[in-house]
Amino acid sequence: HDALNPRNTANDRQLPRRARHQTTLGADLSLGTWRVGGSLLSVGQRFDDAANAQPLPAYTTLDLHADVPLAAGWSLQGKVNNLTHRSYETAYGYNQPGRALYLTLRWQPK
């Protein structure tokens, strides 16, 4: 958990797009040949502008991932970003992607 005081000392306003609180949690686990894990990101309310007139709401996202080896040098990776399909903006008017699923066949020569 990060607790910040992102202030402009000239006018005592909160700096644009910087939250006072941000928490990141992550965990990975090996289950036999599988590697699985996830991460949670929680960002507090912040403002999009220096005048602190345009608020950006707090948000929390959850990402999950898994990886399994298939053969020598080959693995299959899966990832789900924003599992809860949370709608949020990191800058006013710029929505971030909703839920996204990625499946990757990876070859890494030894």
Side-chain angles (χ1 to χ4, degrees):
H1 176 80
D2 292 323
L4 307 171
N5 187 16
R7 289 257 170 230
N8 180 334
T9 56
N11 61 18
D12 200 36
R13 291 193 177 128
Q14 189 171 330
L15 293 173
R17 300 182 187 155
R18 288 169 180 82
R20 291 183 182 167
H21 301 280
Q22 180 170 316
T23 302
T24 305
L25 300 172
D28 290 302
L29 179 65
S30 292
L31 300 170
T33 59
W34 285 79
R35 283 188 4 228
V36 296
S39 62
L40 184 78
L41 171 65
S42 181
V43 177
Q45 180 182 339
R46 61 244 179 272
F47 295 95
D48 189 61
D49 59 339
N52 289 181
Q54 181 61 59
L56 293 170
Y59 66 91
T60 300
T61 60
L62 174 63
D63 300 339
L64 300 176
H65 61 270
D67 185 315
V68 63
L70 300 174
W74 291 90
S75 64
L76 184 62
Q77 301 170 328
K79 182 166 64 166
V80 180
N81 288 348
N82 195 4
L83 180 69
T84 60
H85 197 60
R86 174 75 161 111
S87 178
Y88 68 99
E89 298 172 316
T90 56
Y92 182 73
Y94 290 88
N95 294 327
Q96 296 303 301
R99 183 181 310 115
L101 174 64
Y102 300 94
L103 192 58
T104 304
L105 179 62
R106 181 175 178 192
W107 177 62
Q108 184 174 0
K110 303 285 179 184

